[in-house]
Amino acid sequence: MHSPRSPRPGSLTIKQAVVTVLLATGISLLVGLMELASYAEKMRHDIQRDNRQKLELVDAVAVEAAFQSNNDLADRVVRGLFNGEHVARVVLRDEFGRPLAEHQVSRSAPIGNGWLSQWLFGDILHYIESLEYELDDNSLTQVGEVELLLAPDSLSRQFVERGLEILLISLLEAVALALVVVVGFHFFITRSLLKVYESVINTDPHQPEKWPKPNLPHHRYDEIGRLVESLDTLLHASQRALEQRDQLQQVSTTDGLTGIANRRRFNTFYSQQFSHAQRTGEPISVIFIDIDYFKQFNDDYGHVMGDDTLRAVAHTLTDHVARSKDLVARYNGEKFACVLPGTDKQGATRVAQQLQRAIMNLAIPHAYSPVHHHLTVSMGLASLSPMAPTTPEVLLECAGQRLYQAKRLGRNRIEAGAAENVR
């Protein structure tokens, strides 16, 4: 069974950090844009207020300069206004529209007309203030005007500089907030989830009950703690299910009387080992073992004694088949079968002789047997030589024929043959 590929360590924390930073950055940019819009509105309001105040402040002097057609005084007024921030051009005219004084940015630094400046400040760049002189009869007469034009490129540059500062501050705040959230979330939640994950992937699927249950004291009563307890309950239930499955499998492959492998287990094991022998070219042998005159034994000694005898024979056969890769099974009734993978005819014959002696050494009385006063067995042995072209059924048929031959020739004997000799 292949275990699933483990994710890269820390990938959950990385994903969480990336998502948190992206969300925080998006929110911070949205907040920054809202703050930028607010700043643009405030900047427009401040520009209009400041320029109105400037024009009102110089109004009296400008009126006097226009009324007297005083170019020096008009020039001082214009220069005073021009020194203001973002001013591109200032003109003071008399009542006939003739300029008394004018000042503007040099031709080498033309007034900008970019889309951003026009979009933000296009409607607040131009100011014209009428100059009115109060006569003796308290009436007002226009004696000139002051024209003020702002530089949009200067305004937009200030706005962009401040906007970048706002967005940078928002971005730094977002990153700082994201780091705090990631560290806090990792410490209180992600780290615990990773511990649960490590415990689960390190659990032996064959022994789920022994999983390394994580100790999470800070999550004892929350959802993570309940998740751990639910996993613990589930894995314990899985362990019980595995044990029940093993018990059922053991029951389904074990002979109820003798406690050794049954016919079903024999068929499965034999099929696997025969296929393995054909793939690897190794020999394989099968021994059929039949208790001589067992019907008479049952009739004369009773079925209780017969059952005890079957158990004794089964355990003796199992004890004297030394290799763990061999199998002894109860085939049916008083007939047993032994599968010897990797064993040729000579080796199987030695095993059969050893088993025959072991059964004789039990010295179980059989007074009604015509061949011996103790319990005896007859054996039929068949071997498959390496790469011999035959089938599993042929090998079993050969062993069955040799057993029949041993019984026909007087019993209490071993008859051996090769599967390829069966016709």
Side-chain angles (χ1 to χ4, degrees):
M1 179 179 180
H2 297 285
S3 60
R5 185 177 62 179
S6 300
R8 181 166 51 88
S11 61
L12 181 60
T13 302
I14 293 174
K15 291 178 182 177
Q16 171 204 329
V18 170
V19 171
T20 305
V21 169
L22 291 177
L23 287 176
T25 302
I27 294 173
S28 69
L29 289 176
L30 180 61
V31 172
L33 290 175
M34 294 174 62
E35 186 177 350
L36 198 58
S38 176
Y39 171 72
E41 186 63 29
K42 181 179 181 301
M43 185 175 174
R44 285 171 52 86
H45 177 269
D46 291 346
I47 290 171
Q48 290 177 293
R49 182 199 62 198
D50 292 345
N51 285 290
R52 290 298 179 189
Q53 288 178 350
K54 290 177 183 178
L55 291 173
E56 291 175 3
L57 186 63
V58 301
D59 181 72
V61 180
V63 169
E64 188 68 25
F67 180 74
Q68 297 178 3
S69 297
N70 189 331
N71 296 93
D72 291 336
L73 184 58
D75 187 65
R76 287 198 296 271
V77 171
V78 169
R79 286 184 178 277
L81 289 173
F82 187 79
N83 288 332
E85 190 178 11
H86 311 306
V87 178
R89 181 167 177 261
V90 180
V91 182
L92 194 154
R93 299 184 181 90
D94 61 15
E95 60 182 313
F96 302 107
R98 294 172 299 186
L100 296 175
E102 180 179 359
H103 204 77
Q104 65 179 7
V105 295
S106 64
R107 295 184 180 277
S108 61
I111 299 174
N113 196 29
W115 69 269
L116 179 63
S117 57
Q118 288 300 319
W119 179 58
L120 291 172
F121 310 111
D123 58 334
I124 61 170
L125 296 176
H126 197 200
Y127 299 85
I128 297 179
E129 183 74 16
S130 296
L131 301 177
E132 296 179 334
Y133 184 80
E134 185 177 357
L135 301 176
D136 293 338
D137 59 358
N138 295 327
S139 62
L140 298 176
T141 181
Q142 183 174 347
V143 295
E145 66 179 10
V146 176
E147 181 182 6
L148 176 65
L149 181 65
L150 302 182
D153 54 344
S154 176
L155 294 173
S156 61
R157 184 165 54 251
Q158 176 182 332
F159 175 79
V160 169
E161 290 174 355
R162 177 56 181 162
L164 291 176
E165 181 182 348
I166 290 173
L167 293 178
L168 180 59
I169 292 174
S170 298
L171 184 59
L172 292 176
E173 290 176 348
V175 172
L177 178 61
L179 289 177
V180 171
V181 171
V182 169
V183 171
F185 200 88
H186 176 78
F187 182 79
F188 290 105
I189 298 178
T190 308
R191 186 175 63 167
S192 300
L193 289 176
L194 291 176
K195 287 182 179 180
V196 176
Y197 164 76
E198 291 291 338
S199 297
V200 171
I201 65 172
N202 289 326
T203 299
D204 183 355
H206 302 292
Q207 295 180 311
E209 188 178 31
K210 296 182 179 180
W211 78 301
K213 182 180 178 181
N215 182 25
L216 305 174
H218 298 296
H219 298 283
R220 188 168 301 168
Y221 303 107
D222 63 12
E223 286 80 358
I224 295 179
R226 290 197 289 271
L227 172 63
V228 172
E229 293 304 321
S230 298
L231 284 173
D232 187 62
T233 301
L234 178 62
L235 292 174
H236 277 75
S238 298
Q239 182 68 45
R240 290 192 294 272
L242 288 175
E243 293 173 352
Q244 292 174 357
R245 183 202 66 183
D246 293 341
Q247 291 173 358
L248 290 174
Q249 186 175 9
Q250 181 71 17
V251 169
S252 66
T253 59
T254 302
D255 179 62
L257 176 63
T258 62
I260 66 173
N262 60 11
R263 174 73 172 271
R264 180 179 180 180
R265 171 60 179 152
F266 169 84
N267 291 339
T268 303
F269 181 82
Y270 172 68
S271 177
Q272 294 171 347
Q273 296 304 319
F274 189 91
S275 298
H276 176 76
Q278 285 195 320
R279 289 195 308 269
T280 61
E282 296 179 354
I284 184 173
S285 298
V286 175
I287 305 174
F288 279 145
I289 306 161
D290 190 78
I291 300 177
D292 294 329
Y293 299 106
F294 187 72
K295 183 179 183 304
Q296 290 85 341
F297 186 93
N298 259 342
D299 293 342
D300 295 328
Y301 292 99
H303 289 284
V304 174
M305 183 65 178
D307 291 345
D308 290 341
T309 299
L310 287 174
R311 282 190 285 267
V313 170
H315 295 158
T316 299
L317 295 175
T318 303
D319 292 342
H320 286 80
V321 174
R323 301 186 311 175
S324 59
K325 66 178 182 179
D326 299 334
L327 177 73
V328 175
R330 185 183 180 192
Y331 199 76
N332 58 36
E334 69 276 14
K335 185 177 180 180
F336 296 87
C338 181
V339 183
L340 305 173
T343 304
D344 58 13
K345 180 179 177 182
Q346 289 74 21
T349 301
R350 289 193 295 270
V351 172
Q353 292 170 346
Q354 181 180 358
L355 296 178
Q356 186 182 43
R357 289 193 297 269
I359 297 300
M360 287 292 294
N361 291 336
L362 289 176
I364 298 175
H366 194 346
Y368 306 97
S369 171
V371 296
H372 201 280
H373 60 278
H374 285 156
L375 191 76
T376 60
V377 293
S378 298
M379 299 187 185
L381 184 156
S383 297
L384 174 66
S385 59
M387 303 303 293
T390 188
T391 63
E393 295 75 18
V394 170
L395 182 60
L396 293 182
E397 182 182 355
C398 178
Q401 289 182 3
R402 296 300 176 264
L403 175 62
Y404 176 77
Q405 184 179 7
K407 295 169 71 172
R408 184 169 54 84
L409 294 176
R411 310 199 185 209
N412 190 24
R413 59 188 294 122
I414 300 171
E415 291 294 326
E420 55 266 29
N421 294 330
V422 177
R423 294 291 183 268

